[in-house]
Amino acid sequence: SVIQARTVRILETIAINEGLNIIIGDIENYFLHADTQENVYTKAGPEFGKKKRYIVLIKKALYDLKTSSRQWSVCLGDTLREMGFIPNRVDPDLWMSKSPHAEKYDYIA
């Protein structure tokens, strides 16, 4: 999902006040990291060789599925929680974790 302008403003304000650097990254094909919760079947394409036109079950979220964004959010949230991050109370799209090396927080938006 696309980061909201409100989240960017909050993150910039924190960075300016705390003297922090902002590092920007992107996750390519991010929906493919999340499992789908529904059974979606399609015909295999020509890249499947002799098995083209077989009916296949899709196990990963895809861009056209209605629940893909939600499944990605759940997957990302679970991963960030495992890493020790918690969602910010004001903006749940901004995640924070106490830095182990200083009296500061690490942020992910």
Side-chain angles (χ1 to χ4, degrees):
S1 55
V2 177
I3 191 169
Q4 296 181 21
R6 175 190 71 186
T7 305
V8 172
R9 286 192 298 272
I10 292 171
L11 186 57
E12 287 174 338
T13 301
I14 292 169
I16 290 168
N17 288 335
E18 299 292 328
L20 303 174
N21 294 323
I22 296 177
I23 300 170
I24 299 172
D26 189 20
I27 301 172
E28 293 186 24
N29 300 315
Y30 59 94
F31 282 161
L32 297 178
H33 295 277
D35 294 328
T36 181
Q37 296 295 308
E38 55 217 305
N39 288 331
V40 178
Y41 296 90
T42 188
K43 285 184 185 175
E47 60 274 4
F48 285 85
K50 292 180 180 180
K51 294 184 179 182
K52 70 180 178 184
R53 294 194 203 106
Y54 275 42
I55 302 298
V56 295
L57 172 65
I58 296 178
K59 293 188 173 196
K60 294 294 182 179
L62 299 174
Y63 289 95
D64 286 341
L65 297 179
K66 291 180 181 180
T67 60
S68 292
S69 290
R70 175 74 182 125
Q71 289 309 115
W72 164 246
S73 293
V74 169
C75 177
L76 179 62
D78 290 346
T79 301
L80 291 174
R81 281 185 190 88
E82 287 176 16
M83 295 172 61
F85 284 83
I86 58 170
N88 183 283
R89 284 181 269 159
V90 174
D91 185 345
D93 290 331
L94 180 61
W95 293 74
M96 50 194 252
S97 173
K98 183 107 168 149
S99 177
H101 306 294
E103 290 297 317
K104 294 191 176 196
Y105 286 86
D106 295 323
Y107 297 90
I108 294 179

